[in-house]
Amino acid sequence: MKELLWLIVALPFSGALILALAGRKLSRLTCSIIGVGTVSLSAGLTILAGLDFMGNNPTGKPYLQVLWRWIDVGGLSPDIAFHLDAVSLTFIFVITFVGALIHLYSAQFMWKEDGFSRFFTYMNLFIGFMLVLVLADNLLLLYLGWEGVGLCSYLLIGFWYKNPDNGYAARKAFIVTRVGDTALAIGLFILFMTFHSLNIREILNAAPGTWGIGSGIAVAVALLLLGGAVGKSAQLPLQTWLPDAMAGPSPVSALIHAATMVTAGVYLIARTHVLFELAPIVQTTVAVIGAATLLIAGFSALNQHDIKRVLAYSTISQIGYMFLALGVGAWSAAIFHFMIHAFFKALLFLGAGAVIWVLNDEHNMFKMGGLRKKLPVVFWTFLIASGSLAALPLITAGYFSKDKIIWLAYVGDKGSVVLWLAALIGAFITALYTFRMVFLTFFGTTKAEPSARPGTGMVIPMLILAFFSFAAGYIELPENMGHVVLFSGFIEKTLPATATIHLGNSTELVFQLIAGLAAISGLFVAYKYYFNKPYPAAVPERNALQNFFFNGWDFDFVYDKMIVTPIVFLSRIDKDDFVDLFYKGLASLARALNIVLSASQNGRVRWYAMVIAIGAILTLTLIFYP
Amino acid sequence: MNVPMEQGILLAAILFCLGLTGLLVHRNIIYMLMSVEVMLNAAGLAFIVAGSAWGEADGQVMFIFILAMAAAEVSVGLALIIQMFKKFRSVDINKASTMNG
Amino acid sequence: MNILFYIAATAAIVSTLMMVISKNVVHSLLFLIVSLFSVSVVMFIIGAPFVAALEVIIYAGAIMVLFVFVIMMLNLSDEEKRKKRLMKSKIWIGPSAISLILLAEMVYVLTAQPGYAMGQEVVLPVAVGELMFTKYIVVVELAAFLLIAGIIGAYHLGQKEKTVHHRYLKNKNQEL
């Protein structure tokens, strides 16, 4: 089935093409069948291809499918070629599988909206580009997918374009990620200059022989790639766009801004891990960025009242965990947390979307409450996902993935106490804000009556995701609890294993107890302060510090003052310089000529004939009397 | 038969200029169309004269193409005249200048 | 033979001139037909009998009949005004001057070239046909396209007033 790899990518693109060309004429049912169907077929093919890959390939040898030569110019000759290995298989599985579930959910969620076919066009296009990104065998094709998902993200954040705020949020997301994309592009230029190729395999094989560990150019390239990664994955210092990106519909937030696109940075770093290993200082930076981001975002999430913004900040925070894992060299732990996070965070967004949907677009958690009895399915699935996000010990998938990161943050040979402590505090805060959200939304008195119930089309995806949020953790268990290494064993066919200091099972148990305690104490504090407490149904009052956290540590304010204002000022004083005068002169000259010439366009045919005759005379004169 | 080629071309040139004069003088669009026919015919004659001087058939082939073009042009032009007459109740080309370009 | 050429040429020039200055459309048309016949004679004399026949059949025959139809369809009424206008010498000066300058230039250009005698040999239709369907086959195809386009265009334009499909044109139409 591996030979059908191209079809996995082609199906969503064909769906997008059909919907873009004929979407207006098709009924909503046909649109949703095309939109959901193509992605579901992709998911099915992915599972078949994955079984084939895992079953007949014990060494994990990558499978390369070259479709055609894309460009051939000046020594740059990238192919349109797909590269399937353990990492990209994990990613395409999550993309198509979670993507198909979210498509199914959105078919009902978006049913009453205008632009139904447009929505599915963008969503299918996104899936296609995301698959190109993770399957690309060269960095140029990866960059194509990278920009493509950025474009789809932009289009979908601004999906409800009639509200200017949404357009603003879309532009903000696009421009902020563009900063990172530019860095990534420059990184690609340097890589091409050095290796005369953008093929990932070739670069990774040639890099250790070309650059010494810690050499300047390796550091520069790793830093530039990191720049791209932090832009896409909303990490410090480019994290500001993600909370605003919640302006898009909830399924979009679930698919793009939680499960798949924002983890592209994680994928990029994991994919080019050799370059980061050559630049240890940058790898440490990755870990520090991850740790700092997870704390900053955690504190911000704690002070939000909009349920989707809580989830947005928690996404930033969880990707921070993944960066932390990448930074300490725990490659498979990062990918594992990516997969588990995709399940539970998509589910959380779908649950939040369902709540918002039944409450007629109410985002404020303080105006919700008591939904536990009204929406039992949403409540239970949401609770499972929340447990997973808060990493409640032993019973949730999130525990196994996050505990592994916390453990490796200390025990990995690049780890340290500081990183471990940050991860631990992050775990506490995560549990705290997660259950603050659960208690405010689903417990206490009913402040708003649901106007509808989510239908089966919305419930089924949530149930499936809930199962995975609960059960997917058991494919990877720590050494002292059964030592199941299905996932890391699989990933380590592609990425190197983590080098660790051996501390023994009893030490690990102590660390696990501490991590579990952090999560449970977070839950307890949330219970103490938010369970059945009569908060007024309004935006809560905030003191100065809470306001600071609420605004995402005022990064927007600082960027505005540091970058936007000076640029606006400069462009304003630069508006009437002498260069413009020249062009304005050209414009007025053209206008004057236009007035003269338009007088000759008087609509009189005989006048035109006369001019032609005079022209003939002049031409003859010019030819024979030079 | 030894008329020099220049005299044949001269005939064509005179006919062409007469057609041009007619085109410029008249405001009646039917006259203008007829004048254009004269000019086209003169151009065709020039081709035949040249072909005849060289003893080649190419000139006549060109004339046939001009003929085909003239037929197409006249059919469309006359249809336009009918439309114009319906719209303006006149065949005066200046009446049609309200279209402005 | 030479004298025949000059007679036919004179007839062509005179009848064309009459066509231009005639005040009656139908007279003009008849003068034009005479002119075409004269040119046809010239063509015959200079050794192109095939196109001479085509000139009579298609030009003087088919195309001129179209003109006759159209003139019959349009019941022209402002003859008198037009006649008066054509009497004025003022309107003739400019166009005649331009034409004469052009003619003078062309004469100059022609006399500057070395002379060849016309009609040394007669080019028969066989040669014309062979050339058309070998060397000029693509152009023949293009001419066929052109004629088809002409037929369709004439049919479309000649139709009676129809509902305008485009809203922009609809508004424009009401203004006129």
Side-chain angles (χ1 to χ4, degrees):
Chain A
M1 292 307 286
K2 286 185 294 192
E3 292 71 31
L4 291 177
L5 191 57
W6 64 274
L7 203 59
I8 297 174
V9 183
L11 273 168
F13 275 127
S14 62
L17 193 68
I18 294 169
L19 288 171
L21 293 177
R24 279 158 182 270
K25 299 213 175 73
L26 300 176
S27 69
R28 279 169 193 242
L29 188 64
T30 325
C31 283
S32 52
I33 288 171
I34 293 172
V36 181
T38 50
V39 180
S40 306
L41 276 175
S42 270
L45 281 172
T46 306
I47 290 168
L48 290 176
L51 289 176
D52 187 23
F53 182 82
M54 288 190 282
N56 308 331
N57 194 5
T59 54
K61 197 170 142 297
Y63 171 69
L64 185 68
Q65 185 172 45
V66 182
L67 295 180
W68 68 85
R69 174 62 49 93
W70 183 12
I71 308 168
D72 195 350
V73 57
L76 175 67
S77 50
D79 291 319
I80 300 280
F82 297 136
H83 175 94
L84 187 72
D85 62 10
V87 175
S88 49
L89 181 63
T90 311
F91 269 85
I92 64 169
F93 169 69
V94 170
I95 293 161
T96 54
F97 184 69
V98 177
L101 292 176
I102 292 172
H103 271 71
L104 181 60
Y105 174 94
S106 5
Q108 186 166 33
F109 187 86
M110 301 298 290
W111 191 262
K112 296 209 172 86
E113 301 285 343
D114 290 336
F116 188 76
S117 70
R118 184 162 58 93
F119 179 80
F120 275 106
T121 310
Y122 295 163
M123 290 287 267
N124 276 13
L125 195 65
F126 168 78
I127 298 270
F129 275 126
M130 193 68 208
L131 291 170
V132 167
L133 196 169
V134 297
L135 283 172
D137 95 311
N138 61 68
L139 286 167
L140 196 66
L141 192 59
L142 184 144
Y143 195 73
L144 174 77
W146 188 272
E147 293 299 316
V149 292
L151 168 72
C152 294
S153 162
Y154 164 77
L155 292 170
L156 283 163
I157 294 169
F159 180 75
W160 287 311
Y161 58 89
K162 283 175 187 161
N163 183 349
D165 289 346
N166 296 346
Y168 173 77
R171 284 198 298 280
K172 181 175 175 186
F174 199 71
I175 291 166
V176 173
T177 51
R178 182 105 336 234
V179 177
D181 294 354
T182 311
L184 176 58
I186 296 170
L188 297 194
F189 298 155
I190 296 177
L191 281 175
F192 180 70
M193 262 173 54
T194 314
F195 299 107
H196 305 290
S197 162
L198 284 174
N199 189 291
I200 298 172
R201 286 300 107 195
E202 288 170 17
I203 289 175
L204 295 190
N205 289 337
T210 316
W211 295 331
I213 290 180
S215 68
I217 189 157
V219 171
V221 167
L223 265 181
L224 288 165
L225 294 183
L226 175 62
V230 296
K232 209 49 139 195
S233 292
Q235 298 293 294
L236 272 179
L238 298 174
Q239 85 285 25
T240 56
W241 63 272
L242 190 59
D244 289 306
M246 295 301 125
S250 291
V252 172
S253 312
L255 179 60
I256 300 183
H257 304 119
T260 53
M261 185 190 84
V262 287
T263 55
V266 178
Y267 174 79
L268 180 70
I269 294 178
R271 181 50 85 206
T272 57
H273 61 96
V274 176
L275 301 175
F276 285 86
E277 281 164 348
L278 287 175
I281 186 165
V282 181
Q283 206 180 351
T284 312
T285 313
V286 175
V288 171
I289 284 178
T293 311
L294 76 91
L295 285 177
I296 284 176
F299 278 109
S300 293
L302 209 48
N303 288 286
Q304 302 299 318
H305 53 80
D306 180 334
I307 186 166
K308 282 184 75 180
R309 286 179 84 92
V310 175
L311 292 174
Y313 278 112
S314 96
T315 305
I316 299 176
S317 167
Q318 297 305 307
I319 298 171
Y321 274 105
M322 295 176 212
F323 269 61
L324 174 60
L326 294 170
V328 299
W331 311 109
S332 64
I335 307 287
F336 187 49
H337 193 53
F338 148 75
M339 187 174 82
I340 304 292
H341 173 256
F343 293 136
F344 69 69
K345 188 54 64 67
L347 174 55
L348 282 170
F349 268 113
L350 296 187
V355 169
I356 292 165
W357 192 67
V358 299
L359 293 180
N360 297 326
D361 218 22
E362 178 55 63
H363 284 241
N364 189 345
M365 293 188 298
F366 287 90
K367 293 185 181 172
M368 300 170 184
L371 292 171
R372 180 168 49 104
K373 293 272 165 55
K374 315 271 180 192
L375 304 167
V377 181
V378 176
F379 166 67
W380 284 107
T381 52
F382 201 86
L383 191 66
I384 291 171
S386 301
S388 213
L389 170 60
L392 295 183
L394 301 178
I395 48 169
T396 60
Y399 171 72
F400 296 108
S401 64
K402 199 187 281 182
D403 180 62
K404 196 172 178 198
I405 293 177
I406 298 172
W407 164 244
L408 289 170
Y410 181 73
V411 82
D413 64 344
K414 296 193 180 78
S416 68
V417 185
V418 181
L419 295 176
W420 174 74
L421 217 55
L424 202 63
I425 297 170
F428 169 75
I429 297 169
T430 307
L432 178 55
Y433 69 69
T434 307
F435 282 96
R436 169 180 178 265
M437 171 175 71
V438 173
F439 291 147
L440 283 174
T441 311
F442 290 99
F443 291 88
T445 53
T446 310
K447 293 169 188 167
E449 280 293 326
S451 64
R453 274 169 169 271
T456 46
M458 287 161 78
V459 166
I460 290 171
M462 290 167 71
L463 287 173
I464 296 174
L465 284 172
F467 171 74
F468 277 95
S469 306
F470 164 73
Y474 295 111
I475 61 170
E476 178 78 14
L477 295 177
E479 220 172 317
N480 55 358
M481 295 184 204
H483 195 59
V484 179
V485 287
L486 286 175
F487 189 82
S488 58
F490 177 56
I491 290 294
E492 277 159 14
K493 288 170 185 169
T494 303
L495 294 172
T498 320
T500 54
I501 319 160
H502 196 71
L503 287 179
N505 284 350
S506 50
T507 325
E508 189 173 359
L509 187 66
V510 173
F511 275 86
Q512 283 159 346
L513 283 177
I514 297 172
L517 213 60
I520 291 175
S521 52
L523 166 63
F524 180 72
V525 174
Y527 177 80
K528 188 109 174 122
Y529 282 95
Y530 294 101
F531 187 73
N532 275 346
K533 293 285 182 291
Y535 284 102
V539 176
E541 301 260 325
R542 291 187 295 265
N543 60 31
L545 185 66
Q546 284 172 331
N547 228 354
F548 177 65
F549 290 148
F550 173 76
N551 289 327
W553 296 52
D554 282 340
F555 270 96
D556 277 333
F557 178 78
V558 173
Y559 287 162
D560 196 50
K561 284 283 170 279
M562 263 173 52
I563 298 164
V564 179
T565 316
I567 287 177
V568 170
F569 174 72
L570 279 177
S571 57
R572 189 164 294 145
I573 58 172
D574 196 40
K575 206 161 68 177
D576 289 319
D577 60 355
F578 66 96
V579 182
D580 277 7
L581 277 179
F582 173 70
Y583 288 108
K584 276 181 186 160
L586 271 186
S588 49
L589 184 70
R591 208 171 295 131
L593 270 175
N594 169 45
I595 291 168
V596 174
L597 286 178
S598 65
S600 72
Q601 286 277 325
N602 56 8
R604 289 169 193 275
V605 177
R606 287 164 61 238
W607 169 267
Y608 296 164
M610 181 99 84
V611 173
I612 292 172
I614 293 170
I617 292 171
L618 290 180
T619 312
L620 276 177
T621 316
L622 280 179
I623 290 173
F624 292 104
Y625 305 89
Chain B
M1 166 86 211
N2 49 9
V3 181
M5 184 183 82
E6 291 89 79
Q7 296 189 3
I9 299 281
L10 186 66
L11 173 63
I14 290 171
L15 289 178
F16 185 87
C17 288
L18 280 171
L20 181 62
T21 317
L23 182 70
L24 295 180
V25 165
H26 287 288
R27 290 200 306 200
N28 186 326
I29 193 165
I30 297 177
Y31 273 97
M32 293 175 74
L33 206 56
M34 287 197 289
S35 306
V36 170
E37 290 305 311
V38 171
M39 288 162 78
L40 276 174
N41 193 39
L45 180 62
F47 269 110
I48 290 171
V49 166
S52 164
W54 295 102
E56 297 283 350
D58 298 60
Q60 301 193 30
V61 175
M62 286 301 155
F63 180 78
I64 291 169
F65 292 142
I66 289 175
L67 206 63
M69 203 274 284
E73 175 251 335
V74 163
S75 56
V76 174
L78 287 173
L80 274 172
I81 290 177
I82 293 172
Q83 283 295 327
M84 184 186 147
F85 190 75
K86 273 185 194 159
K87 198 151 265 175
F88 303 105
R89 307 308 308 166
S90 162
V91 284
D92 187 342
I93 192 68
N94 285 359
K95 292 264 173 61
S97 69
T98 50
M99 286 188 242
N100 268 333
Chain C
M1 285 294 270
N2 281 6
I3 193 72
L4 267 181
F5 172 83
Y6 292 118
I7 292 171
T10 315
I13 292 167
V14 170
S15 59
T16 308
L17 188 67
M18 289 304 288
M19 177 231 123
V20 171
I21 62 174
S22 160
K23 298 179 186 67
N24 186 311
V25 185
V26 179
H27 293 176
S28 267
L29 196 61
L30 291 174
F31 280 123
L32 179 55
I33 291 172
V34 173
S35 157
L36 293 174
F37 274 128
S38 316
V39 171
S40 164
V41 172
V42 170
M43 287 172 179
F44 189 81
I45 292 166
I46 63 177
F50 180 50
V51 288
L54 283 184
E55 173 100 354
V56 173
I57 296 167
I58 296 178
Y59 244 126
I63 296 180
M64 290 307 127
V65 168
L66 277 181
F67 271 97
V68 174
F69 279 152
V70 171
I71 289 166
M72 286 190 328
M73 280 170 75
L74 312 178
N75 192 10
L76 299 175
S77 55
D78 52 351
E79 285 290 289
E80 289 306 312
K81 253 184 3 202
R82 206 174 55 78
K83 274 181 193 158
K84 264 186 212 145
R85 181 176 163 276
L86 278 180
M87 299 294 278
K88 289 181 196 154
S89 60
K90 190 176 76 183
I91 66 159
W92 291 92
I93 294 171
S96 308
I98 287 175
S99 297
L100 282 174
I101 293 168
L102 192 59
L103 184 63
E105 273 191 347
M106 285 196 281
V107 168
Y108 174 84
V109 170
L110 294 174
T111 51
Q113 303 294 321
Y116 294 90
M118 296 187 291
Q120 297 300 327
E121 54 191 291
V122 175
V123 181
L124 290 171
V126 178
V128 179
E130 267 176 15
L131 205 58
M132 273 177 76
F133 288 100
T134 51
K135 191 175 169 189
Y136 291 104
I137 182 71
V138 178
V139 194
V140 171
E141 292 292 335
L142 287 177
F145 280 130
L146 182 71
L147 283 171
I148 289 280
I151 290 168
I152 295 170
Y155 166 74
H156 185 75
L157 287 169
Q159 274 176 325
K160 280 193 179 159
E161 196 90 25
K162 281 194 357 188
T163 47
V164 184
H165 296 295
H166 199 280
R167 58 186 188 284
Y168 175 76
L169 289 176
K170 201 176 260 170
N171 293 339
K172 281 273 154 182
N173 230 19
Q174 283 158 3
E175 276 171 33
L176 285 172

